[in-house]
Amino acid sequence: SFLPAFGGGGAGPGPEPVEVESGKCYIGGIPFALDAEGLKEAMSRFGPVASASVVTDRETGRARGFGFVEFADPADAEKAMGTTEIGGRQCKVSAAKKSARYRTGGGAAAADKPAAKLTVFTTRPDTLFGATYMVVSPEHPLLDRLVSPEQKEEVDAYVRSASTKSDLERTELQKDKTGLFTGSYAKHPLTGEPVPVWVADYVLASYGTGAIMAVPAHDTRDHEFAVKFGLDIVEVVGG
């Protein structure tokens, strides 16, 4: 696989790799109605849970769609890694990073925020020059850092709307693509050009890293999205 790192939400290099917290997991894509006790109960299938928390927006108090669980035995955290179903949704479980700061609100302008590092996967590195925008899922833990103050109200409403849909409704059944510009730009890893970062519910937190590089000339869903919102379409592979 190929992992281009797109730094968004500010200038400068992305953060260096950090250590993970033993026994502590990050869970993305959880139902917005789930509270800490519900998350603790759901994750106890893997072993005794010492503590659980659900991240909420600092200003509105609304759930952001992700949380953390600390297991009494670190071995149980290892068993939980991957994808698991919680409340009818496929949620992604990964190791919590020691130095990760998950913002839950705030009003700093995007240009004043430290750079955020978005990691995406692709099996087609030959199409990377055709990446004209990025998309993060509504549950992505860096979304708060990416959203500009001007876009915050609209994005918050969009995230709430996405939380009412099933994964099936957001992907296979959704013919009309929806999404919003976050107000931030990523730096293309090859060209250095700014790439707009969007949030859209056709990207799921449980798929890959919960973020994609969009290559609309060579992907049907990305093409439909680009056409609807007037985004650039650059063909880089013939045939």
Side-chain angles (χ1 to χ4, degrees), residues 27-170:
I27 303 98
I30 62 177
F32 283 67
L34 194 72
D35 59 13
E37 282 302 312
L39 180 60
K40 182 176 182 179
E41 181 180 351
M43 295 301 290
S44 65
R45 75 187 72 166
F46 298 104
V49 175
S51 64
S53 61
V54 172
V55 178
T56 57
D57 187 286
R58 186 183 303 155
E59 296 176 1
T60 66
R62 299 189 183 98
R64 297 297 297 172
F66 65 98
F68 297 90
V69 163
E70 186 169 4
F71 288 92
D73 185 347
D76 292 331
E78 291 295 325
K79 291 189 297 185
M81 298 297 172
T83 303
T84 187
E85 183 177 333
I86 300 178
R89 302 190 70 168
Q90 292 299 310
C91 303
K92 183 178 180 181
V93 183
S94 58
K97 297 177 177 61
K98 280 187 178 180
S99 62
R101 296 179 180 179
Y102 297 95
R103 289 178 58 118
T104 55
D112 298 328
K113 299 177 185 178
K117 187 174 183 179
L118 292 174
T119 300
V120 299
F121 294 92
T122 180
T123 57
R124 293 290 305 276
D126 55 326
T127 65
L128 186 55
F129 278 105
T132 58
Y133 64 98
M134 287 193 71
V135 183
V136 297
S137 71
E139 303 84 11
H140 198 285
L142 292 179
L143 181 58
D144 273 337
R145 287 179 60 183
L146 295 169
V147 177
S148 67
E150 296 78 13
Q151 297 291 98
K152 181 172 173 53
E153 185 175 348
E154 277 191 278
V155 170
D156 282 350
Y158 183 79
V159 169
R160 291 195 298 273
S161 175
S163 71
T164 66
K165 302 178 184 178
S166 68
D167 289 353
L168 188 64
E169 290 173 319
R170 288 170 54 172

Side-chain angles (χ1 to χ4, degrees), residues 1-4 121-131 188 190 213 215 236-237:
S1 62
F2 184 72
L3 287 76
F121 294 92
T122 180
T123 57
R124 293 290 305 276
D126 55 326
T127 65
L128 186 55
F129 278 105
H188 195 291
L190 299 183
M213 66 167 200
V215 186
V236 292
V237 179

Side-chain angles (χ1 to χ4, degrees), residues 132 185-188 191-196:
T132 58
Y185 290 84
K187 182 179 180 181
H188 195 291
T191 67
E193 293 296 316
V195 178

Side-chain angles (χ1 to χ4, degrees), residues 174-212:
Q174 183 169 277
K175 304 301 181 184
D176 184 33
K177 297 291 182 291
T178 64
L180 288 171
F181 176 49
T182 64
S184 287
Y185 290 84
K187 182 179 180 181
H188 195 291
L190 299 183
T191 67
E193 293 296 316
V195 178
V197 181
W198 287 64
V199 56
D201 61 8
Y202 79 89
V203 175
L204 304 177
S206 58
Y207 180 78
T209 64
I212 66 166

